[in-house]
């Protein structure tokens, strides 16, 4: 059985960032689910546990014997280890798309000290502005194909609590015993792509901005499918066995 794709969006944004890829995967005959993590903003810590629960419940809707490929964008990459180890279906592989990487061992901080220093003055009553409001417009506008898509994506962005970025995400051992790959769009995630290569992962590049899946969904979809093609016959059970 071909694997289903589990598209995990960053909790900083919303599922619309994956919607064009979902529609193209499904048009190509691939089962695809897109868990909605917007409610994580209101869940309270530990936020990683809520991400794990939501993705598990979404994956549980698939046939019992259908393996999955987890595709995570941006800081959703940090949650891949807990998603893998809680998944109720065999995980054939994981693709990190312009994403942060979990630590090789030990818990992973959601934000660096430098990012926390940048964010703390922005918090009001413990909540941050929407992600696109953190940056200047000249940096934000090129990430979107047009103003309509920008409005739709921006409208569903949550206002995450600062405590979300202060959290440590556990990294269960053995989560990366299945194939992993990295799809780079561009800086500053090129450093992550180099680290992925050092881990022995396959690395591909579709040059663009951080939300390139919205700008060129056809190319991004083809790359994701190609990266996962060799994993279709090598699915392993969720605990890496």
């Amino acid at each position: 059985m071909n694997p289903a794709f589990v598209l995990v969006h960053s909790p900083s944004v919303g599922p619309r960032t994956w919607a064009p890829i979902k529609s193209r995967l499904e048009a190509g005959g691939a089962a695809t689910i897109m868990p909605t993590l917007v409610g994580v903003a209101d869940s309270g810590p530990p936020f990683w546990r809520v991400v794990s629960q939501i993705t598990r419940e979404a994956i549980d809707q698939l046939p019992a014997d259908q393996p999955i490929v987890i595709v995570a964008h941006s800081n959703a990459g940090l949650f891949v280890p807990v998603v893998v180890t809680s998944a109720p279906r065999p995980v054939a592989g994981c693709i990190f798309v312009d994403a942060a990487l979990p630590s090789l061992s030990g818990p992973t901080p959601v934000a660096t000290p430098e990012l926390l220093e940048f964010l703390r003055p922005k918090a009001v009553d413990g909540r941050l502005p929407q992600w696109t409001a953190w940056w200047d417009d000249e940096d934000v506008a090129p990430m979107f194909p047009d103003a309509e898509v920008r409005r739709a994506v921006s409208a569903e962005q949550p206002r995450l609590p600062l405590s979300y970025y202060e959290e440590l995400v556990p990294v269960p051992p053995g989560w990366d015993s299945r194939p992993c790959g990295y799809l780079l769009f561009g800086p500053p995630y090129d450093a992550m792509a180099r680290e992925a290569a050092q881990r022995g992962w396959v690395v591909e590049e579709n040059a663009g901005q951080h939300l390139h899946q919205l700008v060129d969904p056809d190319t991004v979809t083809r790359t994701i499918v190609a990266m996962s093609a060799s994993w279709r016959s090598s699915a392993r059970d969720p605990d890496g066995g």
Side-chain angles (χ1 to χ4, degrees):
M1 179 181 291
N2 288 336
F5 291 91
V6 181
L7 304 177
V8 187
H9 69 84
S10 165
S12 304
V13 286
R16 285 182 184 270
T17 53
W18 271 132
I21 306 301
K22 182 177 188 292
S23 64
R24 283 158 176 79
L25 287 169
E26 290 176 339
T32 308
I33 57 173
M34 189 171 63
T36 299
L37 302 177
V38 173
V40 168
D42 301 316
S43 65
F47 300 99
W48 62 265
R49 187 169 291 159
V50 180
V51 172
S52 174
Q53 178 183 346
I54 291 172
T55 53
R56 180 185 177 88
E57 290 173 353
I59 293 167
D60 220 12
Q61 300 171 20
L62 297 167
D65 58 345
Q66 183 162 30
I68 59 173
V69 171
I70 296 169
V71 187
H73 176 246
S74 194
N75 72 20
L78 302 178
F79 301 101
V80 169
V82 294
V83 171
V84 166
T85 54
S86 68
R89 302 289 181 272
V91 178
C94 307
I95 300 176
F96 292 73
V97 180
D98 224 41
L101 294 180
S103 302
L104 285 171
S105 62
T108 305
V110 172
T112 63
E114 294 78 15
L115 179 57
L116 285 174
E117 184 178 356
F118 169 75
L119 292 178
R120 285 193 175 106
K122 297 181 181 296
V124 177
D125 296 328
R127 292 269 182 161
L128 293 163
Q130 291 180 315
W131 176 71
T132 48
W134 299 359
W135 321 106
D136 294 333
D137 189 69
E138 58 264 30
D139 297 319
V140 173
M143 290 193 286
F144 297 93
D146 54 52
E148 181 178 356
V149 172
R150 178 178 177 178
R151 282 193 296 270
V153 170
S154 298
E156 70 173 8
Q157 292 178 111
R159 291 187 59 214
L160 285 170
L162 178 64
S163 56
Y164 168 86
Y165 291 95
E166 295 173 330
E167 190 164 84
L168 297 175
V169 182
V171 181
W175 75 269
D176 54 354
S177 60
R178 65 269 303 142
C180 295
Y182 197 96
L183 174 53
L184 171 68
F185 294 155
Y189 288 87
D190 46 348
M192 299 291 180
R194 289 193 295 271
E195 182 178 340
Q198 292 170 357
R199 295 186 186 191
W201 300 359
V202 173
V203 176
E204 300 289 347
E205 181 176 5
N206 293 160
Q209 301 288 329
H210 188 49
L211 298 177
H212 192 58
Q213 72 270 35
L214 297 173
V215 175
D216 189 3
D218 292 328
T219 298
V220 173
T221 301
R222 285 195 297 269
T223 305
I224 289 171
V225 170
M227 291 177 73
S228 64
S230 63
W231 304 343
R232 295 181 181 180
S233 61
S234 62
R236 303 181 183 185
D237 63 24
D239 66 2

